[in-house]
Amino acid sequence: MADRLRRAAPPVLALAGFLALAVWLLGSTWRSPTTRTLGGALGDPGVFTWFLRWTPFAVGRHISPFYSDWLNHPAGVNLMWNTWVPLPGLLLAPLTHAFGPVLSLNVLLTLAYGLSAWSAYLAIHRYVPNHGAAAAGGLVYGFSPVMIGHAHHPNLVLVFLLPWLFVLVDEVVVRQRWSPVWLGAVLGLVAAAQLLIGEELLVATGLLAAVLVVVLAVMCPREVPGRAGYAAAAVAVSLLVFAPLAYLPLKAQLTGPARVHSDITPEARGSSDLLAVITPNRLSAIAPEAAVRLGDRFTGTKESYLGVPILLVALAVLVARWGSLVVRAGFAMLAVCLLLSLGARLRVGGRPTGVPLPWTAVEGVPLVQNMVPSRLAVFTALFAGLLLAAALDGLWSGGGWALRGLAVLTALVVLAALAPPGPFRARPVVATPPFFTGGAVRALPRDGVALVVPFPRRGRTNVAMVWQAQAGMWFKMPGGYFVGPDPGGGTRHDAPPTTTSVVLNRIQRGRRPPELTPALRRKISQDFASWRVASVVLGPMDNREAMRGFLSDLLGRPPASAGGVAVWPDAAVAPAVAR
């Protein structure tokens, strides 16, 4: 029993430490976790607040969770083309029902950082016996610049399964210590779970897993014939397990309504600059002003930053431990991930060179074409963490205080170069009027369409989505912030503009309300008919009195007041009145 406790102590202490760091990183969020979150729940955090409420709502109503016309009504939204996180949303459903989706979002973000670092630590420890070295590798993975840069995106920071997918690939291809049936079943289950957390990173893992298999085959060619049969059997079982679990979500994505047919993110905006890998930026605590100014000139993203210290450590451990398959394979994968994160054309210091890169070979593959290359930085952090741990373990096990002191110094320098600039800035959630959180909302028709003003659209103007989530999805509404098809064949991140949405948005920005001519009334009436509007709700917003006056004139009567909002039930555009 004592031996078991001693063995369990390091992982438990590591988990506690990683979670404590995650709580610190979330800053003032945990002072009031039901009313504060990143961005005040506007913009992307507001989208995830909506997602976390949608999943238990859809499951509870026994409707398909993969498509929703509660948003962007009546066209709806294909959730599989969005940054939806259905599995976390389902697991956190009791918390969401009891305390609301804002707390669930904060819990999810905290677990994302803590569990991702801990998972990498456990996976690395399989290859590096020193717990401290493995923990340093976990820190590189769980709190790297790419993780800090995507704090608003739980689908990109909840990455605790990715290290284990690679461990399973290693078990299937190299170690082969278990039954291929059992191992294949586990691989299929873990892949299916990752699909329901973040599909983009699952596709990226599949791509890199194939690369890893090639790397291992090249490094150990004599082992291939004797291991191919076992590996093929395990992969076949994994596909048999994965396929039925993935069938419904993938079917909804590829054949369902409101699906996207074009690339979501332009390659130039979603790739990294070569110098961004070594140039400190605002995602790091140690970032000289000159380096920040240089980085601001780079096109694309800056999340691929690793820093010079860890790259030097990776090179040093490759030379010092060339005989280690783990080190050689890890270094090869680090190089591949870095190269792929640069996208299809090399850019150096913000200048395009026109030099084609390996990404050109895969950017046209279905599903892969919608990946953002720079997000492969999460994998560079994983393999960089593995190499750092191998280096620290080698120094520490070499014996002598000098080498151990060098190990500690190396860890401190590398981790300091990657340390985040400080806790995130959490803001109070934009106050949800009591109308949406109390019984007053039930005055609206259940599942009816409410035109909620301010009209929800892309960016930080999607507060109505938070109100809808807080109301328990009592009503449907047009508009929203989401990924969907553009009528012209491209991709949009909100609803296509209409006469009504354009007019409402202009008034919100402070423009004078337009004259309600018969022609304008007719166009707005057509929008109301196409949206199937049953009621209009005006919440707190800029220029509210001007908006209230415009809507009163449009609907031919003043609103009722209830719970901090103005409501026009049974809304219909009034005919023009002769003056």
Side-chain angles (χ1 to χ4, degrees):
M1 178 63 71
D3 289 340
R4 290 182 180 179
L5 290 176
R6 279 195 295 269
R7 287 196 300 270
V12 171
L13 291 174
L15 176 60
F18 291 139
L19 288 175
L21 278 175
V23 170
W24 169 83
L25 189 64
L26 268 290
S28 61
T29 295
W30 283 104
R31 295 177 189 171
S32 180
T34 60
T35 60
R36 295 179 68 90
T37 192
L38 303 185
L42 295 177
D44 290 349
V47 172
F48 284 100
T49 299
W50 193 93
F51 288 154
L52 289 171
R53 188 64 188 88
W54 165 255
T55 303
F57 169 78
V59 172
R61 291 286 297 273
H62 305 291
I63 59 179
S64 171
F66 307 113
Y67 165 83
S68 174
D69 67 345
W70 266 252
L71 202 64
N72 190 37
H73 192 82
V77 177
N78 190 316
L79 276 301
M80 288 301 297
W81 280 105
N82 284 261
T83 54
W84 184 37
V85 283
L87 183 57
L90 189 61
L91 295 177
L92 291 174
L95 195 66
T96 302
H97 280 301
F99 302 102
V102 173
L103 178 61
S104 294
L105 176 61
N106 291 329
V107 169
L108 184 59
L109 290 172
T110 303
L111 292 176
Y113 286 99
L115 290 183
S116 296
W118 189 59
S119 175
Y121 150 74
L122 292 176
I124 291 172
H125 183 57
R126 291 171 59 86
Y127 308 99
V128 177
N130 187 292
H131 283 283
L139 284 172
V140 170
Y141 178 68
F143 296 90
S144 62
V146 65
M147 295 284 281
I148 302 303
H150 285 293
H152 295 75
H153 305 134
N155 63 310
L156 298 178
V157 296
L158 192 66
V159 290
F160 68 98
L161 291 180
L162 303 188
W164 291 99
L165 285 170
F166 286 106
V167 167
L168 288 168
V169 170
D170 174 44
E171 290 287 347
V172 167
V173 176
V174 178
R175 301 198 177 195
Q176 299 186 346
R177 298 177 297 176
W178 311 97
S179 162
V181 175
W182 181 88
L183 194 58
V186 173
L187 179 58
L189 287 172
V190 174
Q194 180 58 44
L195 174 69
L196 299 178
I197 295 174
E199 181 183 11
E200 180 179 357
L201 292 181
L202 174 63
V203 174
T205 305
L207 175 65
L208 294 175
V211 173
L212 177 59
V213 171
V214 173
V215 166
L216 293 172
V218 170
M219 291 182 176
C220 307
R222 295 180 181 179
E223 303 291 334
V224 173
R227 299 178 184 272
Y230 177 103
V235 170
V237 172
S238 71
L239 292 175
L240 289 174
V241 172
F242 176 78
L245 297 174
Y247 173 74
L248 287 178
L250 291 181
K251 180 176 185 292
Q253 180 176 15
L254 300 177
T255 66
R259 60 187 181 275
V260 173
H261 298 279
S262 61
D263 195 354
I264 294 175
T265 303
E267 186 272 338
R269 187 164 63 86
S271 301
S272 181
D273 191 290
L274 180 61
L275 293 186
V277 177
I278 59 173
T279 304
N281 56 61
R282 291 182 174 86
L283 299 176
S284 304
I286 302 176
E289 187 60 33
V292 171
R293 288 197 302 269
L294 174 63
D296 287 343
R297 299 206 303 266
F298 300 164
T299 55
T301 65
K302 302 174 181 64
E303 59 205 43
S304 296
Y305 174 70
L306 280 177
V308 173
I310 199 168
L311 293 177
L312 292 177
V313 168
L315 286 170
V317 74
L318 177 67
V319 174
R321 303 185 63 176
W322 178 258
S324 168
L325 177 62
V326 169
V327 169
R328 283 185 286 127
F331 188 88
M333 292 304 297
L334 172 63
V336 168
C337 294
L338 274 175
L339 195 57
L340 291 177
S341 72
L342 300 178
R345 295 290 185 274
L346 180 65
R347 290 190 294 275
V348 182
R351 298 178 180 178
T353 65
V355 176
L357 296 174
W359 187 259
T360 57
V362 298
E363 63 177 343
V365 177
L367 295 183
V368 174
Q369 68 179 357
N370 286 296
M371 285 173 49
V372 179
S374 64
R375 292 176 184 170
L376 293 175
V378 71
F379 299 98
T380 67
L382 175 61
F383 291 109
L386 171 64
L387 294 172
L388 172 64
L392 298 178
D393 177 63
L395 290 171
W396 192 269
S397 61
W401 289 108
L403 288 180
R404 292 190 173 187
L406 180 58
V408 173
L409 179 62
T410 300
L412 291 176
V413 170
V414 168
L415 295 176
L418 295 174
F424 298 135
R425 294 181 180 179
R427 300 176 181 175
V429 176
V430 176
T432 300
F435 175 84
F436 295 104
T437 56
V441 72
R442 288 168 172 73
L444 302 180
R446 180 63 161 146
D447 300 335
V449 180
L451 173 59
V452 181
V453 184
F455 190 84
R457 62 188 192 279
R458 180 178 185 175
R460 296 181 58 82
T461 54
N462 61 338
V463 63
M465 293 176 61
V466 179
W467 295 344
Q468 187 186 32
Q470 298 280 39
M473 302 295 176
W474 183 265
F475 54 87
K476 303 178 181 183
M477 65 182 185
Y481 180 17
F482 57 89
V483 175
D486 185 88
T491 303
R492 292 190 60 86
H493 291 80
D494 53 14
T498 64
T499 299
T500 304
S501 66
V502 169
V503 168
L504 295 178
N505 292 338
R506 286 178 178 175
I507 297 173
Q508 181 184 357
R509 292 195 299 267
R511 298 280 294 274
R512 183 178 180 181
E515 180 183 355
L516 279 166
T517 63
L520 180 57
R521 287 181 180 274
R522 183 168 58 252
K523 290 180 180 179
I524 294 178
S525 181
Q526 290 170 353
D527 289 341
F528 273 46
S530 66
W531 289 335
R532 303 166 191 166
V533 172
S535 53
V536 175
V537 180
L538 172 62
M541 59 172 287
D542 294 334
N543 305 299
R544 189 171 189 268
E545 287 307 311
M547 185 70 78
R548 178 189 176 104
F550 174 79
L551 292 173
S552 295
D553 290 344
L554 176 70
L555 301 173
R557 64 188 188 281
S561 295
V565 303
V567 183
W568 289 265
D570 303 320
V573 177
V577 178
R579 295 184 183 276

